[in-house]
Amino acid sequence: SNISNLTLALSLNALAFSEVKVLRHFFAHRAKNTYEEVMSLAGSLGISNLNMPEEFLVQGRPGVGVRFVDSWLADVEDFFDLAT
């Protein structure tokens, strides 16, 4: 059984899963409220220079400089490495 591995993977508390959800909703619906959610997420992370939500993907994570899309991919890869 890989329950212990899955438990470990779930304990990562990776930011990718909560942050990607906001962007996914925007790209799926492109509504005013989903646009506002992306801008709110950006603002909560200290990013104030976005013109369009698409720019969030390639924006560097404040304090780290790694692009959000790259950090999400790394989080997901770590999750699945630990889960299996």
Side-chain angles (χ1 to χ4, degrees):
S1 172
N2 67 345
I3 293 297
S4 61
N5 289 5
L6 185 56
T7 302
L8 180 61
L10 290 170
S11 72
L12 280 176
N13 199 22
L15 295 173
F17 300 110
S18 58
E19 293 173 349
V20 167
K21 176 183 170 185
V22 174
L23 273 290
R24 182 257 171 228
H25 285 190
F26 169 74
F27 288 115
H29 304 289
R30 293 191 183 262
K32 181 180 181 195
N33 68 316
T34 59
Y35 171 88
E36 290 168 351
E37 288 176 21
V38 172
M39 294 309 195
S40 176
L41 174 62
S44 73
L45 295 169
I47 301 167
S48 60
N49 59 342
L50 290 184
N51 293 314
M52 296 296 298
E54 292 86 342
E55 295 171 2
F56 189 100
L57 298 172
V58 295
Q59 179 74 34
R61 188 177 290 279
V64 180
V66 176
R67 296 182 316 168
F68 279 95
V69 68
D70 293 329
S71 69
W72 295 335
L73 291 171
D75 281 353
V76 171
E77 184 176 14
D78 289 344
F79 176 85
F80 283 107
D81 284 347
L82 290 172
T84 56

